[in-house]
Amino acid sequence: MDVRQLRNFVAIVDSGSLSKAAERLLIAQPSLSQQLRTLEEELQTQLLIRSAQGVVPTDAGKTLYRHARVVLRQMEQIREEVREGGGSEAGPVAVGFPTTIAAILAVPLFQRVRTQYPGIRLQIFESMSGYIGELLANGRLDLAMLFRDSETRGISVMPLFDEELYVMGGHLVCPEIYADADIAPGARENGNDVASGTCELARLANVPLVVPSASNGLRLLIERSFSQANVELNIVADIDSLPTLIDIARAGDACAILPASALAPRDPALRPKAVRIVSPQMVRPASVCWSNSLPVGSATLAVRQCIADLIRELQADGHWTGITLRAPV
């Protein structure tokens, strides 16, 4: 088993078919199939399940894929660090962001890394938090922002902040939510007044809500919070798109429950009304996480520090509201 075989196996799994992988690798499909058979014979186990729809890894194949990702990333980091003189901040760093965090942090991170560490090639993945966690566990990411504050097997965490959730929109079906909202004295953003106010969780009983699908961490938090408070939850649609959630809320036919960061990229004139949920508060922790099985090179450490610094700066400047910073560790 060599690096070329590992690289080709990863390409097959990522592509989902031998033919697509062969095109991507610029090699003949029969040759790629023979490599796969040789690898399976050497390991004495089936690595892929073949069907008319493509290929999927067996349990053994998933194990090989995870380790192959680690080996290939180590090879890339060795190559970059040796080329740049050893230990310098250079090479690829893959970072995963849940959609709500990407909305406010991804662009500033790109700008900061480009300015301070031009030798780093940043790779940013944006998706729902559950999928970002899978990518990290599979070795496809060096860092990920996840909504947790405790370590799990193989994953280290650096808690950075706690994030409050807001009820947004739905003014056509539940205008009473915003009856107590007002304008905070002196609070202005881009020339527009910022509404401030709160909404007790009990007032959201049977209010039409659009939320992410069942596998999403935010959905699980919403369900748990309503259940613990004995408040009737009325989900009218599962929406796995942040822009669509916000657009539906702004249209007024249903509410969404999201962090304030979700609205950051939007023109203030195009944002739905939003008030903080209280009694009880809905809060989730956020941490930068990394795999214990991957080497943490100088480039990864530099990007991790950039993330922590930017979060503090964005909160201090008032661009990231609704978060409480954790004490540095």
Side-chain angles (χ1 to χ4, degrees), residues 6-17 20-21 24-25 65:
L6 294 179
R7 183 178 292 111
N8 291 351
F9 179 73
V10 166
I12 294 171
V13 175
D14 287 345
S15 301
S17 80
K20 291 180 181 178
R24 175 178 168 183
L25 295 167
Y65 176 86

Side-chain angles (χ1 to χ4, degrees), residues 45-67:
T45 186
Q46 183 179 358
L47 298 173
L48 297 174
I49 299 174
R50 302 157 179 82
S51 70
Q53 289 72 42
V55 297
V56 294
T58 62
D59 288 342
K62 291 177 182 177
T63 299
L64 177 62
Y65 176 86
R66 185 172 64 254
H67 286 290

Side-chain angles (χ1 to χ4, degrees), residues 36-45 47-48 50:
L36 178 61
R37 285 194 294 271
T38 300
L39 191 59
E40 289 180 324
E41 290 172 1
E42 179 180 346
L43 297 175
Q44 298 182 350
T45 186
L47 298 173
L48 297 174
R50 302 157 179 82

Side-chain angles (χ1 to χ4, degrees), residues 86-113:
S88 61
E89 293 84 3
V93 178
V95 184
F97 289 133
T99 304
T100 54
I101 289 183
I104 193 169
L105 189 57
V107 173
L109 179 64
F110 166 78
Q111 295 169 337
R112 177 66 57 86
V113 171

Side-chain angles (χ1 to χ4, degrees), residues 149-273:
D149 59 0
S150 58
E151 295 188 352
T152 56
R153 183 179 180 183
I155 302 296
S156 295
V157 304
M158 178 192 295
L160 295 178
F161 62 86
D162 295 295
E163 183 174 51
E164 295 177 317
L165 298 182
Y166 292 66
V167 58
M168 302 180 179
H171 56 279
L172 296 181
V173 291
C174 47
E176 65 278 4
I177 290 175
Y178 305 99
D180 299 330
D182 54 17
I183 301 302
R188 298 182 69 81
E189 183 175 335
N190 296 330
N192 291 302
D193 292 320
V194 178
S196 67
T198 60
C199 173
E200 294 184 359
L201 185 59
R203 295 176 68 176
L204 299 181
N206 286 310
V207 167
L209 292 175
V210 287
V211 300
S213 60
S215 61
N216 185 271
L218 178 58
R219 166 70 169 267
L220 299 176
L221 174 59
I222 291 171
E223 291 180 342
R224 184 171 65 249
S225 298
F226 274 70
S227 176
Q228 291 174 347
N230 198 27
V231 176
E232 191 69 25
L233 179 60
N234 180 19
I235 296 173
V236 297
D238 301 319
I239 309 293
D240 280 333
S241 165
L242 180 59
T244 303
L245 283 171
I246 296 173
D247 287 339
I248 291 173
R250 182 171 177 265
D253 297 314
C255 292
I257 294 178
L258 295 165
S261 59
L263 302 181
R266 290 213 164 199
D267 187 303
L270 300 178
R271 297 175 184 174
K273 291 183 178 180

Side-chain angles (χ1 to χ4, degrees), residues 89-136:
E89 293 84 3
V93 178
V95 184
F97 289 133
T99 304
T100 54
I101 289 183
I104 193 169
L105 189 57
V107 173
L109 179 64
F110 166 78
Q111 295 169 337
R112 177 66 57 86
V113 171
R114 285 285 295 165
T115 300
Q116 294 189 356
Y117 304 103
I120 293 177
R121 188 175 77 251
L122 197 62
Q123 302 170 349
I124 295 179
F125 295 79
E126 175 190 339
S127 186
M128 293 296 180
S129 58
Y131 183 58
I132 293 297
E134 290 180 15
L135 292 178
L136 182 65

